């Protein structure tokens, strides 16, 4: 599959796998402890198929409607897929999201946590949940503020009975990444959370070095997107 940059999706994937293996080895981590989440947002099913055929099973999408169109068909042909929601979730889409996704990485406010708790109780489904932390405290960005994270996680667990398995962050554009990755790791540690979703195409090696268990990689595999969000 030739992507828009004229590159090759399988060559991109091979390169990402190699970078990931080297990053793990450089910091003496077990490669098996880092999951590659292939971010397939904006790309059609035909572009995703070769990556599935090459053995990848963990994918990230940022829109419920788009995932609903692409993934039921792909799942039928490729069993064992784990689909992660990595984009903002509106409360009126919670029912569909719980049906479609195995992991919701963007739990970012009490209203959404409440809606997820209600839908999990109603449906009996239990997607894994990560809390998104706005590590840069950017006003336009989703996520719980770092200083509010402990209380929010406790509220999800104690009042709503939600299991919070992971934390996720998207550091601010153009800033050093390491303080953000380190901050996320620190919040996870004191809340006894094992899963850290951090690092994208440009910086996943650094994220691995700072403890990422999940890296979310789109462009380096699939090529450039024409839509940005
Ligand atoms: C698009 C997206 C990614 C992938 O970014 P790339 O730079 O293309 O690897 C990762 N995480 C989130 C939340 C995204 O929206």
């Amino acid at each position: 599959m030739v992507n828009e940059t004229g590159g090759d999706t399988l060559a991109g994937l091979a390169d990402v796998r190699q970078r990931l293996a080297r990053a793990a080895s450089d910091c003496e981590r077990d490669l098996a402890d880092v999951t590659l989440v292939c971010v397939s947002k904006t790309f059609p099913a035909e572009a995703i198929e070769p990556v599935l055929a090459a053995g990848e099973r963990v994918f990230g999408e940022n829109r419920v409607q788009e995932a609903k169109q692409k993934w039921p068909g792909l799942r039928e042909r490729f069993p064992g897929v784990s689909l992660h929601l990595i984009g903002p979730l509106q409360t009126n889409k919670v029912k569909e999201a719980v049906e479609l996704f195995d992991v919701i990485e963007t739990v970012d406010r009490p209203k959404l946590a409440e809606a997820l708790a209600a839908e999990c109780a109603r449906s009996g489904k239990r997607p894994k949940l990560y809390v998104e932390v706005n590590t840069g405290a950017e006003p336009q960005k989703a996520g719980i503020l770092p200083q509010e994270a402990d209380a929010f996680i406790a509220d999800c667990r104690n009042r709503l009975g939600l299991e919070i398995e992971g934390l996720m962050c998207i550091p601010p554009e153009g800033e050093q990444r390491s303080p953000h990755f380190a901050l996320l790791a620190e919040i996870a540690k004191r809340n006894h959370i094992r899963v850290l979703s951090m690092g994208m195409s440009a910086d996943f090696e650094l994220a691995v070095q700072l403890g990422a268990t999940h890296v979310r990689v789109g462009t380096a595999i699939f090529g450039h997107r024409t839509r940005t969000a």
Side-chain angles (χ1 to χ4, degrees), residues 68-82:
K68 201 176 164 182
Q69 280 164 14
K70 293 192 302 201
W71 281 96
L74 286 169
R75 277 190 199 269
E76 259 176 42
R77 272 171 294 149
F78 298 94
V81 164
S82 176

Side-chain angles (χ1 to χ4, degrees), residues 2-7 42-43 222-227:
V2 172
N3 60 37
E4 284 170 51
T5 46
T42 81
F43 289 96
F222 293 101
H224 286 286
R225 294 175 290 270
T226 45
R227 191 184 87 212

Side-chain angles (χ1 to χ4, degrees), residues 17-56:
R17 283 172 169 172
Q18 197 172 47
R19 283 171 61 189
L20 200 52
R22 185 169 306 136
S25 136
D26 281 352
C27 59
E28 296 182 344
R29 288 190 59 196
D30 190 340
L31 182 58
D33 293 337
V34 187
T35 300
L36 173 61
V37 181
C38 303
V39 176
S40 50
K41 66 184 184 194
T42 81
F43 289 96
E46 309 82 74
I48 304 170
E49 269 172 37
V51 177
L52 282 157
E56 295 300 328

Side-chain angles (χ1 to χ4, degrees), residues 43-118:
F43 289 96
E46 309 82 74
I48 304 170
E49 269 172 37
V51 177
L52 282 157
E56 295 300 328
R57 285 296 179 272
V58 186
F59 288 81
E61 290 281 346
N62 68 338
R63 290 183 180 180
V64 173
Q65 291 315 312
E66 183 184 340
K68 201 176 164 182
Q69 280 164 14
K70 293 192 302 201
W71 281 96
L74 286 169
R75 277 190 199 269
E76 259 176 42
R77 272 171 294 149
F78 298 94
V81 164
S82 176
L83 197 58
H84 289 225
L85 178 64
I86 60 170
L89 178 56
Q90 296 170 291
T91 47
N92 64 1
K93 299 233 172 83
V94 160
K95 184 167 183 288
E96 284 174 300
V98 166
E99 244 165 53
L100 260 167
F101 289 94
D102 303 283
V103 180
I104 295 174
E105 296 205 15
T106 49
V107 182
D108 62 358
R109 57 197 192 280
K111 275 267 175 294
L112 176 59
E114 285 160 14
L116 283 165

Side-chain angles (χ1 to χ4, degrees), residues 143-193:
I144 289 285
L145 291 172
Q147 65 270 26
E148 291 167 6
D150 294 356
F152 179 67
I153 293 162
D155 187 51
C156 286
R157 286 171 165 168
N158 303 333
R159 181 171 65 95
L160 301 171
L162 293 173
E163 218 171 289
I164 299 300
E165 173 165 313
L167 298 183
M168 184 271 244
C169 76
I170 311 168
E173 286 287 330
E175 268 186 38
Q176 287 282 340
R177 335 302 280 157
S178 37
H180 296 277
F181 294 155
L183 175 60
L184 198 71
E186 209 178 284
I187 296 170
K189 190 168 180 204
R190 66 175 184 249
N191 287 282
H192 310 288
I193 288 173

